[in-house]
Amino acid sequence: MAFTNYLFLNMLSISQLYIYPIKSLGGIAVNTALITDRGLKNDRRFMVVDANGLFLTQRERPLMALLRTAIEADVLIVWHKDHQSDKLRLPLEPQPSLSVTTVKVWDDYCEAQYVSDEAAKWFSEKLNSPCRLLYMPESTKRKVDPVYAFNNDITSFSDGYPVLLIGQSSLDDLNGRMTEALPMDRFRPNIVMAGGKPFEEDSLEQFSVSGINFYGVKLCGRCVVTTINQQTGATGKEPLKTLATYRMANNKVYFGQNVLCGGEGLIRVGDSISIIKVKQALI
């Protein structure tokens, strides 16, 4: 019986799935997700840029957390949490446009298309400065860092990798060290893993879900976005202050594992996660 209980407690499964249609805006909890060659379908295919074409995130604009997203059929809906009557509706896959530009996302340059004047006006009003909304078309193939790539892997407008995996046990461990517990939305994962021990995701080199292989390639270094309350936009010192006491290496604070996708297909909340290969954890 004790051995059976041990196996049950250490079974891994998907407990939550999230997509973020527009980089650094509010995410959407989903029950199923289609894994594509660049991550979860509809994840970070849009991005807001300023008048100089520089991409905007909550790092510089914490109040971007208050801009929420939803998907209805083939329409993307965007609104401000405190002004729900003023909603922007956009096609999930805008028509190809001649208005294409080259944008820089960290160290990567890639092509993107302007969405519309209507979207530019809406975001400029909500963020109180000139902005435009860009879309990554299928023709754009933004490659991940070749040091960690397996097969010319690509990603969308994510910070660098198609999928972010975090274990619920890891968040529980962190919250047990702080005076105030934080929700998972502070860390903006794509896949939340139930079961296992804290930070078990760090050691997952290869695993499968519904017959799709995934590869854990690099721990996720965390930034000030984790200190932003996703419900209010307020900033603070946690969780970086606490994480720095036990999750620091190479002068970075780590929480979560960046993952590459080795196939395409549907995954669902409740799906089991099968470990294929493990590695030595960095921390």
Side-chain angles (χ1 to χ4, degrees), residues 1 25 39 45 59 62 71 84 90 92 120 141 152-153 155 165 190 213-214 225 233 248 253 259 269:
M1 179 65 71
L25 267 61
R45 292 298 292 271
R59 296 172 180 86
I71 293 175
Q84 298 192 30
L90 305 166
L92 262 179
K141 308 295 183 182
N152 293 317
D153 305 89
T155 187
L165 170 71
N190 294 113
N213 285 332
F214 296 86
V225 172
M248 180 171 278
V253 171
V259 172
V269 170

Side-chain angles (χ1 to χ4, degrees), residues 3-54:
F3 181 68
T4 301
N5 288 340
Y6 173 82
L7 289 177
F8 178 76
L9 289 171
N10 283 272
M11 289 178 61
L12 306 180
S13 64
I14 295 177
S15 59
Q16 299 170 65
L17 289 168
Y18 294 96
I19 58 172
Y20 307 87
I22 303 179
K23 184 178 180 67
S24 224
L25 267 61
I28 304 172
V30 296
N31 289 319
T32 63
L34 178 64
I35 300 300
T36 72
D37 57 354
R38 67 187 82 209
L40 279 64
K41 184 178 180 180
N42 298 320
D43 186 56
R44 297 177 175 93
R45 292 298 292 271
F46 294 84
M47 179 174 71
V48 183
V49 299
D50 66 12
N52 297 314
L54 300 176

Side-chain angles (χ1 to χ4, degrees), residues 178-222:
M178 300 198 304
T179 57
E180 182 179 350
L182 298 179
M184 185 63 81
D185 66 9
R186 288 291 187 98
F187 302 95
R188 301 175 65 81
N190 294 113
I191 301 175
V192 179
M193 180 178 75
K197 59 184 183 295
F199 306 105
E200 187 161 352
E201 64 270 26
D202 292 7
S203 63
L204 299 186
E205 182 170 345
Q206 183 180 353
F207 60 94
S208 69
V209 180
S210 293
I212 305 168
N213 285 332
F214 296 86
Y215 304 89
V217 293
K218 186 176 184 288
L219 296 193
C220 183
R222 306 315 306 231

Side-chain angles (χ1 to χ4, degrees), residues 49-229:
V49 299
D50 66 12
N52 297 314
L54 300 176
F55 73 94
L56 298 177
T57 73
Q58 292 182 35
R59 296 172 180 86
E60 310 84 23
R61 309 288 183 94
L63 294 182
M64 289 178 75
L66 303 184
L67 300 184
R68 304 302 167 83
T69 58
I71 293 175
E72 292 182 1
D74 57 354
V75 176
L76 173 62
I77 305 170
V78 193
W79 71 96
H80 190 289
K81 174 177 176 286
D82 299 328
H83 307 284
Q84 298 192 30
S85 61
D86 182 16
K87 293 184 177 179
L88 177 66
R89 295 176 181 272
L90 305 166
L92 262 179
E93 297 183 18
Q95 291 296 314
S97 170
L98 296 177
S99 185
V100 175
T101 186
T102 298
V103 295
K104 184 180 181 183
V105 185
W106 298 117
D107 294 327
D108 301 330
Y109 290 90
C110 59
E111 286 195 342
Q113 68 182 61
Y114 290 118
V115 173
S116 67
D117 290 341
E118 177 193 12
K121 181 175 182 294
W122 192 92
F123 277 98
S124 296
E125 290 176 351
K126 295 299 180 288
L127 296 176
N128 298 312
S129 63
C131 301
R132 299 197 75 171
L133 184 66
L134 302 180
Y135 173 74
M136 179 181 283
E138 283 295 317
S139 58
T140 293
K141 308 295 183 182
R142 179 186 169 216
K143 294 185 178 181
V144 305
D145 186 337
V147 173
Y148 300 98
F150 277 89
N151 187 29
N152 293 317
D153 305 89
I154 61 174
T155 187
S156 57
F157 287 131
S158 68
D159 277 350
Y161 299 88
V163 173
L164 177 61
L165 170 71
I166 295 178
Q168 181 63 48
S169 296
S170 305
L171 179 60
D172 294 344
D173 179 271
L174 170 62
N175 283 334
R177 299 167 187 261
M178 300 198 304
T179 57
E180 182 179 350
L182 298 179
M184 185 63 81
D185 66 9
R186 288 291 187 98
F187 302 95
R188 301 175 65 81
N190 294 113
I191 301 175
V192 179
M193 180 178 75
K197 59 184 183 295
F199 306 105
E200 187 161 352
E201 64 270 26
D202 292 7
S203 63
L204 299 186
E205 182 170 345
Q206 183 180 353
F207 60 94
S208 69
V209 180
S210 293
I212 305 168
N213 285 332
F214 296 86
Y215 304 89
V217 293
K218 186 176 184 288
L219 296 193
C220 183
R222 306 315 306 231
C223 68
V224 294
V225 172
T226 61
T227 69
I228 300 169
N229 186 316

Side-chain angles (χ1 to χ4, degrees), residues 255-271:
F255 194 87
Q257 171 97 276
N258 289 304
V259 172
L260 301 178
C261 308
E264 300 185 0
L266 279 175
I267 61 173
R268 301 170 176 81
V269 170
D271 280 352

